[in-house]
Structure formats: C-alpha cells, structure tokens
Amino acid sequence: MGYYDVAQVCLNGHVINDNYKSSPEFNQDFCDQCGEKTITECLSCHEPIRGDYHVEGIFGGTPGYTPPSYCYKCGNAFSWIQMALDSAKELLDIDEAINDADKETLMDSMKEISKNTPKTELNAIKIKKIAKKLGTDTYDAFIKIAVDIGTEIAKKSLLGS
Ligand SMILES: [Zn+2]
Ligand SMILES: [Zn+2]
C-alpha cells in the first residue's frame, strides 16, 4: 500500500513542495514566485492537501504533480480555483462586446471545466464558442485561465482546433 505525502502550495496555486513531510528542506512559509502565504491543508476543514504518492519499495514519486482543485474531504474549491474564477469574472466585466446572458454562461462553464464530470467537455466547447464574442485581449486571457484550471479533458478540448 502506498500513502500520500502532504503538499505545500501557495494561495495562488504554485506548488512549493509536494513532499512536505519527507523532504522538509524544500518547505517555504511564503511563495518565491508571488509572495503569497503557503498552505498545507484545506482552509475549510483542515484536511492535509494530498501531495506526492509514495509506494513502498519504489523510489521517487509521481512526476508532474499538480495541486488538487477541490478538497477530497469537504469538497470546497481551493483558493487558487476561486481566485482564477474571480479574475475570469473581472475580465468579463471589463469586456464591452459581450452581453450579460453570455457572461453568465461563460462563468457557469468556467466553474464546470475545473471539475471532472460527464459535462466537462461540453462546457469546454461552450467556452470555445461563446468566448469568440469577446475582444481579442479578453479572449486570450479568458482562455488562458480556462486552460489553467481546466481538467485534462477540458484542456485538450480548449487547445484543440
Ligand atoms: Zn505563488
Ligand atoms: Zn476541506
């Protein structure tokens, strides 16, 4: 049986150390990329954030660790997802080309693509279609956020032609 180490992540979602327990020499109180505070547990329920998965007898962990979007214990979105959603909303608010109904659909879909559900791909497609109504700068920034927080399926759909 394997076990999860604890991950240390900054509030903006930069991974500081995915082996908080086994390699404490890499721990940091603050993020060296953005200066935000770092956390090792869910701020709602205090469950440790799952880090690297260790399997007994096998050296080295999972490569390419990405922090979780939601707490597996209480289901709350981590701060990096919430911050990304907030900036996506601000982007839409400064765009003059798009109407309120489309804004709402885009925001709903943005939330959905960060979750792994049967509707993830559908929502990624919706974003691709509707976001075309945005101004060029807003479009690029909006899609970038979507790719950042989107699940693998969403990323593929957003980046595919
Ligand atoms: Zn950071
Ligand atoms: Zn939690």
Side-chain angles (χ1 to χ4, degrees):
M1 271 297 280
Y3 69 94
Y4 285 98
D5 206 304
V6 172
Q8 187 178 48
V9 185
C10 92
L11 292 175
N12 278 324
H14 297 124
V15 178
I16 307 295
N17 187 2
D18 58 351
N19 285 299
Y20 179 75
K21 284 188 165 162
S22 58
S23 302
E25 67 272 25
F26 299 120
N27 294 346
Q28 296 174 191
D29 292 337
F30 292 92
C31 179
D32 56 349
Q33 287 188 64
C34 72
E36 267 295 352
K37 222 178 85 177
T38 58
I39 56 168
T40 56
E41 57 175 34
C42 166
L43 294 179
S44 309
C45 74
H46 303 293
E47 182 71 14
I49 301 169
R50 276 178 172 168
D52 207 358
Y53 189 68
H54 292 267
V55 182
E56 222 174 308
I58 296 178
F59 208 70
T62 20
Y65 173 84
T66 45
S69 304
Y70 295 89
C71 171
Y72 73 93
K73 194 81 180 180
C74 72
N76 263 301
F78 281 109
S79 58
W80 41 94
I81 296 296
Q82 199 47 57
M83 283 194 209
L85 290 174
D86 290 348
S87 35
K89 190 168 180 308
E90 273 184 54
L91 265 177
L92 295 184
D93 283 341
I94 56 168
D95 192 275
E96 283 149 7
I98 195 154
N99 66 39
D100 285 350
D102 283 338
K103 267 187 202 174
E104 217 170 288
T105 312
L106 277 177
M107 280 314 295
D108 285 346
S109 295
M110 191 63 121
K111 274 178 209 145
E112 290 306 315
I113 58 159
S114 68
K115 305 170 186 172
N116 230 332
T117 76
K119 290 193 168 174
T120 308
E121 189 164 20
L122 167 74
N123 281 289
I125 292 167
K126 272 194 196 170
I127 289 180
K128 259 177 100 171
K129 276 198 175 305
I130 301 172
K132 291 213 171 89
K133 299 179 186 173
L134 293 165
T136 320
D137 292 349
T138 327
Y139 174 84
D140 289 346
F142 194 83
I143 295 294
K144 192 175 170 294
I145 296 175
V147 169
D148 268 354
I149 67 169
T151 63
E152 283 311 309
I153 290 171
K155 279 193 221 308
K156 249 192 205 156
S157 179
L158 287 163
L159 296 171
S161 48

